[in-house]
Amino acid sequence: MELTTVWFLLIAVLWTGYFVLEGFDFGVGILLPLLGRDEADRRVLVQTIGPVWDGNEVWLLVAGGATFAAFPEWYATLFSGFYLPLFVILVALIVRGVALEFRNKSDSPTGWDRAFFWGSLGPAFLWGVAFANIVVGVPLDADHEYTGSLLTLLNPYALLGGLATLVLFTLQGALFVRLKTGGELRERAARLIRVAAPAALAVGGLFLVITQLTVGRPVTWATVALAAAAIAGALVATVRGRDGWAFTANTVAIVAVTVTLFATLWPDVMPALDPANSLTVDNAASSPYTLTVMTWVAAVFTPLVLAYQGWTYWVFRRRLTRPLGDG
């Protein structure tokens, strides 16, 4: 297999990991005002992701860095053409991180909670908008420069993609809360899952079917079907009280959705409305020497990072509950 294809697959894996892990982070933030009826509830909700949220964002940094090093033409076109949406995502992630750090040090955390909510909702929606545009194609000239505007990116199909990731990440957050908490919070999360799962099936299913009919491949119908079955499985597992299986099932759904998008994309990395101007894994890639060095670095350090992150989740694996006598 050529190194350009290897790095396309590795970048797909990095984005998949980011969406799986940061997906429940975003979901918890979106659900904070819905599930947290008082400060004790909201403190428990924030504590569910407290030890892991910053580690989850490492996947985004590595995905961006890998794209820059392996496919500099893709990185340049993406970050110049999608400048405003990506800038909004960056600001939202910064605000979200500051809110998480400062809410526990404030006597009045309501403002920080609002910042956490909007800082979670914005990226959860805009990542879907960005990837929908990448998959279906954008206007590029012969120099691979984006020639559209912000309104070009906010087309109905891309907005549907944003709504799909928003609902899917919200469901992932509810499943994580169900997995990590006890008592009334856990029951509230179950009631919300019964609403969010059908919504994810409807919105996500519509987005994937349109994607398939527009730019899809026959083989990716299998991943679309897997995503739908996994979301249904998450709902069934929740009803039966199998929280671990429910979270795993929705994780499979997020993986299947991301695989569908990247499998539809290949061998392009940034398709243009005029196919002659598209960026591909070949014309966007770095030199073979750069890709070789990157492959050795990834082979050495990736297992170490995965081991450290797995250890973190193992240490903080217990369920959280409200303190006795609080509320």
Side-chain angles (χ1 to χ4, degrees):
M1 184 182 294
E2 295 184 0
L3 284 179
T4 52
T5 302
V6 169
W7 273 98
F8 178 84
L9 293 174
L10 287 176
I11 288 171
V13 169
L14 290 169
W15 278 107
T16 303
Y18 176 67
F19 286 148
V20 166
L21 297 176
E22 193 86 305
F24 70 73
D25 273 12
F26 290 149
V28 171
I30 293 166
L31 294 173
L32 190 69
L34 293 175
L35 296 179
R37 293 182 177 174
D38 56 24
E39 171 56 19
D41 281 347
R42 290 190 286 274
R43 197 181 309 132
V44 171
L45 287 169
V46 170
Q47 287 173 350
T48 61
I49 63 170
V52 297
W53 71 270
D54 47 355
N56 295 343
E57 291 194 347
V58 169
W59 289 76
L60 173 62
L61 298 177
V62 178
T67 305
F68 171 74
F71 300 103
E73 285 280 344
W74 183 13
Y75 184 92
T77 300
L78 179 65
F79 278 78
S80 60
F82 291 25
Y83 176 80
L84 280 176
L86 294 179
F87 178 73
V88 172
I89 289 174
L90 176 62
V91 171
L93 292 178
I94 292 173
V95 169
R96 182 171 173 271
V98 172
L100 278 168
E101 294 294 335
F102 278 82
R103 77 170 309 282
N104 291 331
K105 300 177 177 62
S106 173
D107 295 330
S108 179
T110 304
W112 294 117
D113 288 343
R114 288 175 184 155
F116 180 41
F117 169 77
W118 288 107
S120 302
L121 187 144
F125 177 75
L126 288 174
W127 281 128
V129 172
F131 270 84
N133 277 296
I134 292 172
V135 169
V136 81
V138 292
L140 301 179
D141 61 19
D143 295 324
H144 304 140
E145 296 289 341
Y146 178 71
T147 58
S149 65
L150 177 62
L151 291 179
T152 307
L153 300 176
L154 300 178
N155 58 80
Y157 168 76
L159 295 176
L160 178 62
L163 195 57
T165 52
L166 177 62
V167 176
L168 196 58
F169 292 161
T170 302
L171 174 60
Q172 184 81 338
L175 290 164
F176 187 73
V177 171
R178 171 89 176 162
L179 183 66
K180 287 289 294 180
T181 63
E184 180 60 22
L185 259 180
R186 182 168 175 266
E187 296 308 314
R188 266 180 248 153
R191 290 194 288 273
L192 196 142
I193 290 166
R194 290 183 174 88
V195 177
L201 266 177
V203 178
L206 178 62
F207 170 69
L208 289 179
V209 167
I210 293 175
T211 302
Q212 283 295 114
L213 296 176
T214 307
V215 293
R217 302 169 186 274
V219 68
T220 48
W221 280 111
T223 52
V224 172
L226 176 61
I231 293 173
L235 179 59
V236 172
T238 299
V239 171
R240 295 185 177 181
R242 307 298 296 271
D243 300 339
W245 282 109
F247 184 78
T248 302
N250 201 59
T251 297
V252 170
I254 293 176
V255 171
V257 171
T258 313
V259 169
T260 302
L261 297 180
F262 274 89
T264 301
L265 193 59
W266 192 86
D268 292 332
V269 292
M270 194 84 177
L273 298 183
D274 181 353
N277 298 334
S278 293
L279 280 167
T280 69
V281 292
D282 293 324
N283 66 19
S286 291
S287 67
Y289 175 77
T290 300
L291 295 178
T292 301
V293 172
M294 289 177 60
T295 303
W296 280 107
V297 171
V300 172
F301 288 101
T302 302
L304 297 176
V305 173
L306 291 177
Y308 172 75
Q309 196 158 26
W311 176 78
T312 303
Y313 276 90
W314 175 255
V315 169
F316 296 101
R317 66 188 182 280
R318 297 184 184 280
R319 288 184 186 272
L320 301 174
T321 56
R322 293 168 63 107
L324 290 175
D326 199 348

